[in-house]
Structure formats: structure tokens, C-alpha cells
């Protein structure tokens, strides 16, 4: 138990620091921003009470906000993502015992279901974030492109992180990325 | 009361969700006067020190380009110095040494600072610099770099400050076409970090592509004649009274590294005047 908690805390710290120092400064082709810290929220155990998940989500978002001077925007998006975690998982998984078991992963849910789960939530996050961020002069098409491409890029990176950490825990194969 | 508590406990996750959402919306839509909330900006101690550490590494990335720029600028300044010396001498010969009063930037102080955080791809971009009130930086000071204007200081903590970048929808600055008196408001249209818009220019005047745009000096933020950019394109506004010019800015925001914060000698007086006005 203590090991799990420590694991989660370390994951959050590493991803949040990486996000604010590296990934938030990336904007590929002026449209795609990678949000890697979402991985930490996606992998929180399902046994954790929804309120706690939302509070953790809120503060991680706020942390990003403070560094990028976007007060409240990431916080709102990640709060909504945290709130949607359970409903989305219920939508894709029929049996309840699968949901409550532990951290959602490709192993516990099956690769395809897990990918759908991650993609839906990341899409929700990008939708909320970029719609709020869009001000009068950011055109509709640019906002849509940002939503779509940021979602795809973040999704790819989340799966990437997953393949690194997952393999290291299960067998000692070198991570292939 | 007890029913209410029971209700809250039963729907605790909903109440937490609503509270957090309201908190976020408050942060997003509160007005811009959050000078009090320095800790909620990138100028706070924690983020400033994190950014300082990373900029220790990333600061070396564009040095070659910056060096080239500096060399060019130095050469240009040297040429200017020579021609100014010449014209000063001729002026002296014409008028006698004591009667000349040169308009100068004397009294303006420049504080050099390193950029530790910068963004160019959001609708509202901010820059964080590693000097703050301890180094004499105050809100509303102008910021320039070796090529042109950068932004205006917004929030200041002890050892860091946040600058509203030119690339920000809140940024507005009075600028004019060099050697004319036609001035307008410089704003950013959010499209490209290389271009800004000089709006509210008189529509009867014809402007030539390639003309230089400089600051007008109509405020204590920037001294006059700081270079801003060159005219790239122009069009008449729909209402017909004004025209707008597309300006290619001199400052390269993607490689911003060292900036100068301008402290004007008139700042205190103007501030006092403004405060008097707002009191009345």
C-alpha cells in the first residue's frame, strides 16, 4: 500500500515537473501541445474516492496554471477529466468488478478498452482547455485543430509512457519506443 | 441543518466537483487586477526558481544567433555614433558649444534581466524574468531587448517578475511611423508571433511598405523612438475612418534571452498625477 502511494506521488512529481519545464513549451506546428501529466491522473487507482481524484486533478491543473500563467484553465480541464474518469470507464467496461479492481491499465482492462478510456478523457481535457483558452481572435478552425492534434499527441505520449513503465514492472525487457 | 449535512455527505463527490469548478471559473473570469495574487503567477518563488534552473540549461541554445544579432547591432550603433559625432561637430561649429541642448535618454535607467520563461503560442503570452522588486523593477515598466520592444512588466515579486508580452491580447502601446507624427495603437492579433497590428492609423495618409515603426513616447512606459518593426502590409478598416498596418516586429520572441527593463525618470511624477486624478 505504502509502496503504491509512494509510486503515485513520484509519478505525479516527475510528470508535473516535466510538463512545466519541457512539454508545456512545445507546440508542434503551432497546434499540438502534449499534456503528459494527464497520465498520472489516468492511472490513479479506481479504489480512490472520486472526491479525492478530483481534488488531486484540480491541484495538478492549478500547478500547471501557475507555471504557464493561465489561471484556472488547466485546473478546470483536469477537474472535469478527473470527474469523468469513472463514468467513461463504466461506459466501456460492462462488469463492475473490473472497474473497482485497481489502477486502470492495458493489462487490467485490455489494450483496446484502455486506449479508448485514455483517448476519451484526453479529448475531454483538450476540449475544455482550448475552448476556454480560445479568445475572440483565436479562430474556430485553429481551436479545433489544437483540440484534435493536442489530443492525438498527448494520447501517443501517454501510451508511450505506459509502454516504458509497464514493461519495466512486468518483465525485464528493454523498453521499446 | 442535519439534512443538509446528510445531503452533502451523500453527494459528496458532486459537491466537491461543484466547489472546484466554481473555484476554477472564479480564477478564469476574475478581473485582471490580481496584483495581490503573485503566488498564482509564474513570478512566484517556486516557479521562478524552477524556471531559473531550467534556463541555466536552455539559455545556451540560441547563443550563436544572439551573438550575431549583437554584432550587427553593435556595428549599427558604431555607424550611428560616428555620424552623430559628425553632426554634433557641425552643430557646434554653427551654434557655439553651449547653446545646444540635445534631446537624450538621460535619466532613463536600464536594468538587464534574463528571461527564464517565455511562451509564444497561446492567445495570452507572458514572459518571466529573473529580477524583481529587489532589483528596482516595478509594474508598468517597459521591457525591450537588443532588437526592439518586448512587453510591459505586470506582476512583481522579490526576485522575479512577470511581463505581459507583446504577444498578448491585453497588450496595447502607442506607436508611430518613424519621422512622422502619425501614431496608432499597437496590438497583437493572435495569429503569428512575428507580426503585430498597428491600428487606428489615419486613413488619409499613405504609408510605404518597409517604413520603420517606433514607440511614440506618449507614456512613461517607453521612451520615444524605440524600434518596433517595419510595415509589411496595410488595409482600411471597415468603417473607413482608420486604417490598420501589419507590422513585422523586430523582436524575435522565440529566442528571447536577455532583456532590458526601462525605468523612466518621469515614472514617479506621472504616477502621482494619475493617482491625483483618480482620487478626484
Amino acid at each position: 500500500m505504502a509502496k503504491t502511494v509512494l509510486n503515485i506521488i513520484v509519478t505525479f512529481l516527475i510528470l508535473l515537473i516535466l510538463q512545466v519545464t519541457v512539454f508545456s513549451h512545445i507546440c508542434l506546428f503551432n497546434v499540438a501541445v502534449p499534456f503528459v501529466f494527464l497520465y498520472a491522473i489516468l492511472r490513479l487507482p479506481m479504489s480512490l474516492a472520486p472526491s479525492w481524484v478530483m481534488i488531486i486533478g484540480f491541484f495538478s491543473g492549478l500547478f500547471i496554471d501557475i507555471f504557464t500563467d493561465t489561471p484556472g484553465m488547466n485546473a478546470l480541464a483536469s477537474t472535469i477529466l478527473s470527474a469523468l474518469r469513472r463514468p467513461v470507464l463504466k461506459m466501456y467496461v460492462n462488469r463492475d468488478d473490473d472497474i473497482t479492481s485497481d489502477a486502470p491499465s492495458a493489462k487490467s482492462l485490455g489494450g483496446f478498452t484502455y486506449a479508448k478510456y485514455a483517448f476519451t478523457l484526453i479529448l475531454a481535457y483538450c476540449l475544455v482547455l482550448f475552448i476556454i483558452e480560445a479568445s475572440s481572435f483565436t479562430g474556430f478552425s485553429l481551436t479545433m485543430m489544437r483540440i484534435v492534434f493536442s489530443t492525438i499527441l498527448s494520447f501517443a505520449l501517454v501510451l508511450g509512457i505506459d509502454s516504458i513503465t509497464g514493461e519495466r514492472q512486468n518483465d525485464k525487457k528493454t523498453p521499446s519506443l | 441543518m442535519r439534512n443538509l449535512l446528510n445531503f452533502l455527505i451523500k453527494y459528496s463527490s458532486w459537491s466537491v466537483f461543484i466547489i472546484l469548478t466554481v473555484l476554477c471559473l472564479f480564477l478564469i473570469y476574475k478581473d485582471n487586477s490580481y496584483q495581490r495574487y503573485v503566488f498564482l503567477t509564474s513570478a512566484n518563488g517556486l516557479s521562478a526558481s524552477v524556471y531559473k534552473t531550467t534556463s541555466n540549461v536552455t539559455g545556451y541554445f540560441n547563443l550563436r544567433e544572439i551573438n550575431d544579432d549583437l554584432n550587427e547591432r553593435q556595428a549599427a550603433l558604431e555607424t550611428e555614433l560616428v555620424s552623430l559625432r559628425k553632426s554634433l561637430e557641425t552643430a557646434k561649429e554653427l551654434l557655439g558649444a553651449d547653446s545646444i541642448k540635445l534631446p537624450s535618454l538621460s535619466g532613463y535607467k536600464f536594468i538587464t534581466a534574463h528571461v527564464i520563461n517565455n511562451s509564444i503560442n497561446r492567445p495570452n503570452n507572458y514572459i518571466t524574468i529573473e529580477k524583481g522588486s529587489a532589483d528596482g523593477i516595478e509594474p508598468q515598466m517597459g521591457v525591450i531587448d537588443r532588437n526592439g520592444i518586448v512587453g510591459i512588466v505586470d506582476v512583481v515579486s522579490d526576485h522575479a517578475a512577470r511581463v505581459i508580452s507583446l504577444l498578448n491580447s491585453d497588450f496595447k502601446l502607442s506607436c508611430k511611423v518613424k519621422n512622422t507624427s502619425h501614431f496608432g495603437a499597437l496590438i497583437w492579433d493572435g495569429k503569428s508571433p512575428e507580426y503585430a497590428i498597428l491600428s487606428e492609423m489615419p486613413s488619409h495618409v499613405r504609408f510605404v511598405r518597409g517604413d520603420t515603426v517606433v514607440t511614440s513616447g506618449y507614456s512613461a512606459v517607453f521612451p520615444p523612438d524605440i524600434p518596433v518593426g517595419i510595415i509589411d502590409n496595410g488595409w482600411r478598416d471597415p468603417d473607413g475612418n482608420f486604417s490598420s498596418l501589419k507590422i513585422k516586429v523586430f523582436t524575435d520572441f522565440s529566442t528571447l534571452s536577455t532583456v532590458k527593463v526601462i525605468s523612466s525618470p518621469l515614472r514617479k511624477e506621472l504616477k502621482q498625477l494619475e493617482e491625483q486624478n483618480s482620487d478626484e
Side-chain angles (χ1 to χ4, degrees):
Chain A
M1 182 62 199
K3 204 184 158 193
T4 323
V5 174
L6 193 73
N7 231 329
I8 291 172
I9 293 173
V10 170
T11 314
F12 263 94
L13 275 182
I14 292 175
L15 287 183
L16 283 175
I17 295 287
L18 272 181
Q19 180 71 43
V20 294
T21 53
V22 182
F23 289 104
S24 285
H25 296 273
I26 296 173
C27 190
L28 277 186
F29 311 116
N30 206 25
V31 286
V33 185
F35 296 101
V36 292
F37 79 103
L38 299 180
Y39 176 77
I41 304 176
L42 291 176
R43 289 298 309 273
L44 282 175
M46 272 298 163
S47 49
L48 194 64
S51 310
W52 280 112
V53 178
M54 279 187 275
I55 291 170
I56 293 171
F58 171 78
F59 280 106
S60 341
L62 193 68
F63 184 82
I64 308 290
D65 278 335
I66 288 172
F67 277 77
T68 54
D69 287 306
T70 48
M73 294 179 191
N74 283 289
L76 182 63
S78 58
T79 309
I80 287 174
L81 177 144
S82 317
L84 284 176
R85 244 165 55 105
R86 201 168 277 262
V88 166
L89 204 55
K90 269 189 185 151
M91 198 164 75
Y92 293 135
V93 181
N94 299 319
R95 288 163 302 152
D96 269 359
D97 50 326
D98 275 357
I99 294 181
T100 45
S101 58
D102 59 348
S105 68
K107 213 173 185 190
S108 72
L109 297 173
F112 187 56
T113 316
Y114 175 71
K116 276 195 292 185
Y117 158 80
F119 189 81
T120 314
L121 288 177
I122 295 172
L123 178 66
Y125 178 89
C126 292
L127 259 176
V128 176
L129 181 69
F130 287 112
I131 287 177
I132 299 169
E133 201 182 65
S135 59
S136 54
F137 56 55
T138 327
F140 178 76
S141 58
L142 182 63
T143 308
M144 285 301 129
M145 300 245 289
R146 285 204 163 161
I147 292 171
V148 172
F149 288 109
S150 299
T151 306
I152 294 171
L153 183 60
S154 311
F155 178 64
L157 280 171
V158 162
L159 290 193
I161 300 172
D162 225 37
S163 69
I164 297 172
T165 52
E167 275 184 3
R168 195 172 292 162
Q169 275 164 14
N170 296 332
D171 44 37
K172 294 275 188 267
K173 247 191 260 169
T174 44
S176 57
L177 224 177
Chain B
M1 190 63 203
R2 209 164 143 194
N3 281 340
L4 179 71
L5 275 180
N6 280 335
F7 178 82
L8 282 180
I9 290 164
K10 192 174 172 193
Y11 294 100
S12 64
S13 50
W14 274 106
S15 9
V16 170
F17 178 66
I18 290 166
I19 292 169
L20 291 179
T21 309
V22 169
L23 208 62
C24 293
L25 290 176
F26 168 74
L27 286 172
I28 295 171
Y29 292 110
K30 70 179 162 15
D31 56 349
N32 255 337
S33 62
Y34 44 92
Q35 305 284 3
R36 290 174 291 141
Y37 305 107
V38 176
F39 66 95
L40 279 180
T41 70
S42 58
N44 79 44
L46 174 71
S47 63
S49 58
V50 170
Y51 278 143
K52 244 176 236 179
T53 318
T54 49
S55 79
N56 278 344
V57 180
T58 57
Y60 294 98
F61 287 176
N62 299 309
L63 278 188
R64 182 182 290 266
E65 246 167 83
I66 290 160
N67 207 2
D68 288 348
D69 272 358
L70 281 175
N71 279 336
E72 249 169 58
R73 179 101 179 111
Q74 196 250 0
L77 283 175
E78 226 157 61
T79 330
E80 203 181 331
L81 180 72
V82 171
S83 72
L84 280 178
R85 267 199 190 134
K86 242 181 222 164
S87 53
L88 184 68
E89 268 166 30
T90 36
K92 265 181 189 166
E93 283 166 13
L94 285 174
L95 290 167
D98 291 329
S99 60
I100 307 172
K101 258 191 187 166
L102 285 171
S104 69
L105 290 182
S106 64
Y108 283 101
K109 270 200 301 187
F110 295 91
I111 306 160
T112 323
H114 289 287
V115 171
I116 52 174
N117 174 46
N118 179 21
S119 74
I120 57 171
N121 48 46
R122 278 185 273 270
N124 288 312
N125 296 295
Y126 295 93
I127 298 159
T128 319
I129 56 176
E130 44 79 65
K131 286 202 175 152
S133 52
D135 307 283
I137 289 176
E138 291 168 36
Q140 296 299 318
M141 280 182 171
V143 181
I144 60 174
D145 86 336
R146 61 192 185 279
N147 295 323
I149 62 161
V150 170
I152 297 171
V153 176
D154 168 38
V155 184
V156 177
S157 69
D158 283 353
H159 293 289
R162 188 176 79 167
V163 177
I164 299 182
S165 166
L166 170 74
L167 313 178
N168 189 311
S169 61
D170 290 334
F171 184 90
K172 201 172 183 184
L173 179 71
S174 160
C175 290
K176 64 175 186 180
V177 179
K178 198 175 182 181
N179 296 331
T180 68
S181 51
H182 303 297
F183 66 93
L186 186 78
I187 50 173
W188 188 53
D189 62 352
K191 286 183 183 125
S192 159
E194 288 169 32
Y195 294 94
I197 304 292
L198 188 57
S199 62
E200 298 166 22
M201 296 297 284
S203 63
H204 62 273
V205 188
R206 290 204 168 271
F207 297 101
V208 184
R209 178 173 300 173
D211 272 2
T212 311
V213 173
V214 295
T215 53
S216 68
Y218 290 164
S219 68
V221 179
F222 288 104
D225 293 330
I226 301 266
V228 175
I230 55 171
I231 298 174
D232 184 68
N233 206 347
W235 62 88
R236 192 175 278 236
D237 285 354
D239 61 6
N241 293 327
F242 293 106
S243 59
S244 299
L245 302 172
K246 192 178 181 186
I247 309 292
K248 184 164 190 345
V249 292
F250 288 135
T251 315
D252 182 1
F253 284 91
S254 56
T255 59
L256 218 53
S257 71
T258 310
V259 294
K260 280 171 269 182
V261 183
I262 306 169
S263 166
S264 155
L266 299 172
R267 275 181 49 77
K268 268 185 192 152
E269 287 172 43
L270 279 173
K271 209 174 182 182
Q272 269 176 2
L273 273 176
E274 273 165 20
E275 271 166 16
Q276 272 176 16
N277 277 337
S278 59
D279 285 346
E280 281 160 13

